[in-house]
Amino acid sequence: MLFQELNKLKWNTVMTAVILITLGIFMIICPEPYIKSMIGLIGAILLILAVLGVFDFLSSNKALIHYIYLTGWLFLMIIGSMILFFEFDALYTISWLFGAVLILGGVSNGITAMSYSRRAGRKGWWVLFLLSLLQIGCGLVVLLNPWWNTPGKLFKVVGVMILFSSAISALRLIWSWPVKAE
Protein backbone atom coordinates (compact mmCIF):
# COMPACT_ATOMS: atom_id res chain seq x y z
CA MET A 1 0.00 0.00 0.00
CA LEU A 2 2.76 2.44 0.93
CA PHE A 3 4.75 1.65 -2.21
CA GLN A 4 1.65 2.18 -4.35
CA GLU A 5 1.13 5.64 -2.84
CA LEU A 6 4.82 6.49 -3.31
CA ASN A 7 4.62 5.33 -6.92
CA LYS A 8 1.53 7.50 -7.46
CA LEU A 9 3.34 10.49 -5.94
CA LYS A 10 6.35 9.85 -8.20
CA TRP A 11 4.19 9.70 -11.32
CA ASN A 12 2.29 12.86 -10.31
CA THR A 13 5.58 14.70 -9.92
CA VAL A 14 6.88 13.43 -13.26
CA MET A 15 3.67 14.34 -15.10
CA THR A 16 3.59 17.81 -13.52
CA ALA A 17 7.19 18.37 -14.63
CA VAL A 18 6.37 17.23 -18.19
CA ILE A 19 3.32 19.51 -18.37
CA LEU A 20 5.30 22.49 -17.06
CA ILE A 21 8.17 21.81 -19.49
CA THR A 22 5.66 21.75 -22.35
CA LEU A 23 4.05 24.98 -21.15
CA GLY A 24 7.46 26.64 -20.80
CA ILE A 25 8.48 25.63 -24.32
CA PHE A 26 5.19 26.92 -25.75
CA MET A 27 5.65 30.20 -23.91
CA ILE A 28 9.19 30.60 -25.26
CA ILE A 29 8.37 29.83 -28.90
CA CYS A 30 5.01 31.66 -28.97
CA PRO A 31 5.11 34.44 -31.59
CA GLU A 32 4.15 37.96 -30.52
CA PRO A 33 0.73 38.06 -32.28
CA TYR A 34 -0.44 34.89 -30.51
CA ILE A 35 0.44 35.91 -26.96
CA LYS A 36 -3.13 37.12 -26.21
CA SER A 37 -4.53 33.78 -27.35
CA MET A 38 -2.00 31.88 -25.24
CA ILE A 39 -2.87 34.00 -22.21
CA GLY A 40 -6.55 33.20 -22.70
CA LEU A 41 -5.68 29.52 -23.00
CA ILE A 42 -3.72 29.65 -19.73
CA GLY A 43 -6.70 31.31 -18.03
CA ALA A 44 -9.07 28.64 -19.34
CA ILE A 45 -6.72 25.85 -18.21
CA LEU A 46 -6.49 27.37 -14.72
CA LEU A 47 -10.26 27.60 -14.56
CA ILE A 48 -10.71 23.97 -15.67
CA LEU A 49 -8.10 22.75 -13.17
CA ALA A 50 -9.85 24.69 -10.40
CA VAL A 51 -13.24 23.19 -11.25
CA LEU A 52 -11.72 19.69 -11.28
CA GLY A 53 -10.08 20.41 -7.93
CA VAL A 54 -13.42 21.51 -6.44
CA PHE A 55 -15.05 18.32 -7.76
CA ASP A 56 -12.20 16.33 -6.19
CA PHE A 57 -12.92 18.08 -2.88
CA LEU A 58 -16.61 17.20 -3.12
CA SER A 59 -15.74 13.52 -3.49
CA SER A 60 -13.10 13.51 -0.72
CA ASN A 61 -13.49 12.54 2.93
CA LYS A 62 -13.19 16.21 4.04
CA ALA A 63 -10.03 16.14 6.12
CA LEU A 64 -8.28 19.39 7.00
CA ILE A 65 -5.81 19.07 4.11
CA HIS A 66 -8.70 18.84 1.65
CA TYR A 67 -10.04 22.19 2.88
CA ILE A 68 -6.58 23.70 2.37
CA TYR A 69 -6.53 22.29 -1.16
CA LEU A 70 -10.04 23.69 -1.72
CA THR A 71 -8.79 27.14 -0.74
CA GLY A 72 -5.99 26.83 -3.30
CA TRP A 73 -8.39 25.64 -6.01
CA LEU A 74 -10.76 28.54 -5.31
CA PHE A 75 -7.81 30.95 -5.50
CA LEU A 76 -6.86 29.43 -8.89
CA MET A 77 -10.47 29.81 -10.00
CA ILE A 78 -10.35 33.51 -9.17
CA ILE A 79 -7.01 33.94 -10.98
CA GLY A 80 -8.29 32.03 -14.06
CA SER A 81 -11.44 34.16 -14.13
CA MET A 82 -9.40 37.34 -13.82
CA ILE A 83 -7.21 36.28 -16.72
CA LEU A 84 -10.20 35.47 -18.91
CA PHE A 85 -12.37 38.49 -18.10
CA PHE A 86 -9.82 41.25 -17.46
CA GLU A 87 -7.48 40.97 -20.43
CA PHE A 88 -5.70 44.30 -19.95
CA ASP A 89 -3.53 43.10 -17.04
CA ALA A 90 -3.69 39.36 -17.68
CA LEU A 91 0.00 38.99 -18.49
CA TYR A 92 1.01 40.65 -15.26
CA THR A 93 -1.44 38.42 -13.37
CA ILE A 94 0.23 35.40 -14.96
CA SER A 95 3.67 36.70 -14.06
CA TRP A 96 2.56 37.23 -10.45
CA LEU A 97 1.05 33.74 -10.37
CA PHE A 98 4.13 32.01 -11.79
CA GLY A 99 6.45 34.15 -9.66
CA ALA A 100 4.58 33.02 -6.56
CA VAL A 101 4.68 29.41 -7.78
CA LEU A 102 8.44 29.69 -8.28
CA ILE A 103 8.94 31.07 -4.79
CA LEU A 104 6.74 28.42 -3.17
CA GLY A 105 8.44 25.71 -5.22
CA GLY A 106 11.86 27.00 -4.18
CA VAL A 107 10.86 26.99 -0.52
CA SER A 108 9.50 23.45 -0.90
CA ASN A 109 12.66 22.28 -2.66
CA GLY A 110 14.83 23.89 0.01
CA ILE A 111 12.88 22.18 2.79
CA THR A 112 13.16 18.87 0.93
CA ALA A 113 16.91 19.34 0.50
CA MET A 114 17.45 20.13 4.16
CA SER A 115 14.96 17.67 5.64
CA TYR A 116 15.25 14.60 3.48
CA SER A 117 18.29 14.66 1.22
CA ARG A 118 20.76 15.95 3.82
CA ARG A 119 19.51 13.69 6.60
CA ALA A 120 19.48 10.67 4.30
CA GLY A 121 23.17 11.27 3.56
CA ARG A 122 22.60 11.88 -0.15
CA LYS A 123 25.59 13.31 -1.93
CA GLY A 124 25.01 16.67 -3.55
CA TRP A 125 22.15 17.76 -1.28
CA TRP A 126 23.73 21.20 -1.04
CA VAL A 127 23.46 21.62 -4.84
CA LEU A 128 19.72 21.07 -4.53
CA PHE A 129 19.58 23.64 -1.74
CA LEU A 130 21.51 26.22 -3.82
CA LEU A 131 19.24 25.57 -6.80
CA SER A 132 16.21 26.12 -4.58
CA LEU A 133 17.66 29.47 -3.47
CA LEU A 134 18.22 30.34 -7.13
CA GLN A 135 14.62 29.36 -7.87
CA ILE A 136 13.38 31.69 -5.13
CA GLY A 137 15.52 34.46 -6.67
CA CYS A 138 14.03 33.79 -10.11
CA GLY A 139 10.54 33.96 -8.61
CA LEU A 140 11.34 37.32 -7.07
CA VAL A 141 12.68 38.58 -10.41
CA VAL A 142 9.46 37.51 -12.17
CA LEU A 143 7.35 39.08 -9.41
CA LEU A 144 9.20 42.39 -9.39
CA ASN A 145 9.57 42.49 -13.20
CA PRO A 146 12.22 45.21 -13.32
CA TRP A 147 13.46 44.86 -16.91
CA TRP A 148 10.81 43.44 -19.21
CA ASN A 149 8.30 46.03 -20.30
CA THR A 150 6.85 44.36 -23.40
CA PRO A 151 4.46 41.41 -23.23
CA GLY A 152 6.60 39.31 -25.58
CA LYS A 153 9.72 39.59 -23.43
CA LEU A 154 7.84 38.99 -20.18
CA PHE A 155 6.08 35.95 -21.66
CA LYS A 156 9.40 34.43 -22.74
CA VAL A 157 11.02 35.14 -19.36
CA VAL A 158 8.16 33.42 -17.54
CA GLY A 159 8.54 30.46 -19.94
CA VAL A 160 12.27 30.18 -19.21
CA MET A 161 11.62 30.35 -15.47
CA ILE A 162 9.02 27.57 -15.75
CA LEU A 163 11.54 25.39 -17.60
CA PHE A 164 14.12 26.08 -14.90
CA SER A 165 11.64 25.23 -12.14
CA SER A 166 10.71 21.96 -13.85
CA ALA A 167 14.38 20.96 -14.10
CA ILE A 168 14.86 21.64 -10.39
CA SER A 169 11.75 19.58 -9.59
CA ALA A 170 13.15 16.67 -11.58
CA LEU A 171 16.47 16.93 -9.75
CA ARG A 172 14.65 17.06 -6.42
CA LEU A 173 12.80 13.88 -7.32
CA ILE A 174 16.05 12.12 -8.24
CA TRP A 175 17.99 13.25 -5.15
CA SER A 176 15.31 12.77 -2.54
CA TRP A 177 13.46 9.68 -3.77
CA PRO A 178 13.40 7.34 -0.76
CA VAL A 179 13.08 3.98 -2.54
CA LYS A 180 16.02 2.54 -4.45
CA ALA A 181 15.33 0.52 -7.60
CA GLU A 182 15.49 -3.21 -7.06
Side-chain angles (χ1 to χ4, degrees):
M1 172 99 176
L2 177 65
F3 289 114
Q4 290 173 346
E5 289 299 316
L6 284 174
N7 216 8
K8 188 176 7 172
L9 178 67
K10 179 181 176 182
W11 281 109
N12 283 342
T13 304
V14 168
M15 289 309 296
T16 302
V18 167
I19 289 169
L20 286 177
I21 287 171
T22 305
L23 178 66
I25 290 172
F26 278 137
M27 289 177 83
I28 291 170
I29 64 172
C30 184
E32 189 87 28
Y34 297 110
I35 288 179
K36 286 187 108 174
S37 299
M38 186 79 166
I39 290 172
L41 181 66
I42 290 172
I45 288 171
L46 288 177
L47 203 55
I48 290 169
L49 285 175
V51 168
L52 290 175
V54 170
F55 285 151
D56 187 41
F57 169 77
L58 292 175
S59 68
S60 70
N61 59 0
K62 311 292 188 289
L64 177 62
I65 191 69
H66 295 113
Y67 285 101
I68 294 171
Y69 287 155
L70 176 66
T71 305
W73 292 123
L74 292 175
F75 179 71
L76 271 184
M77 188 179 290
I78 291 170
I79 295 293
S81 299
M82 285 175 52
I83 290 171
L84 284 176
F85 297 122
F86 304 115
E87 292 182 11
F88 58 90
D89 281 338
L91 185 61
Y92 295 105
T93 304
I94 288 175
S95 69
W96 273 85
L97 176 69
F98 285 124
V101 166
L102 282 171
I103 291 171
L104 292 175
V107 169
S108 172
N109 288 341
I111 290 171
T112 300
M114 295 300 289
S115 298
Y116 301 117
S117 301
R118 182 177 64 105
R119 288 184 183 167
R122 304 280 180 154
K123 294 183 180 187
W125 66 268
W126 55 273
V127 174
L128 186 60
F129 185 72
L130 289 177
L131 287 174
S132 66
L133 291 178
L134 188 60
Q135 186 178 7
I136 292 170
C138 290
L140 287 173
V141 166
V142 170
L143 273 178
L144 297 177
N145 187 20
W147 300 288
W148 305 286
N149 52 3
T150 64
K153 290 179 185 176
L154 182 60
F155 206 63
K156 289 181 187 345
V157 166
V158 170
V160 168
M161 298 297 177
I162 289 173
L163 279 174
F164 179 69
S165 173
S166 300
I168 291 176
S169 293
L171 287 174
R172 178 182 56 90
L173 181 68
I174 292 168
W175 262 311
S176 64
W177 190 247
V179 180
K180 298 281 187 190
E182 297 178 28

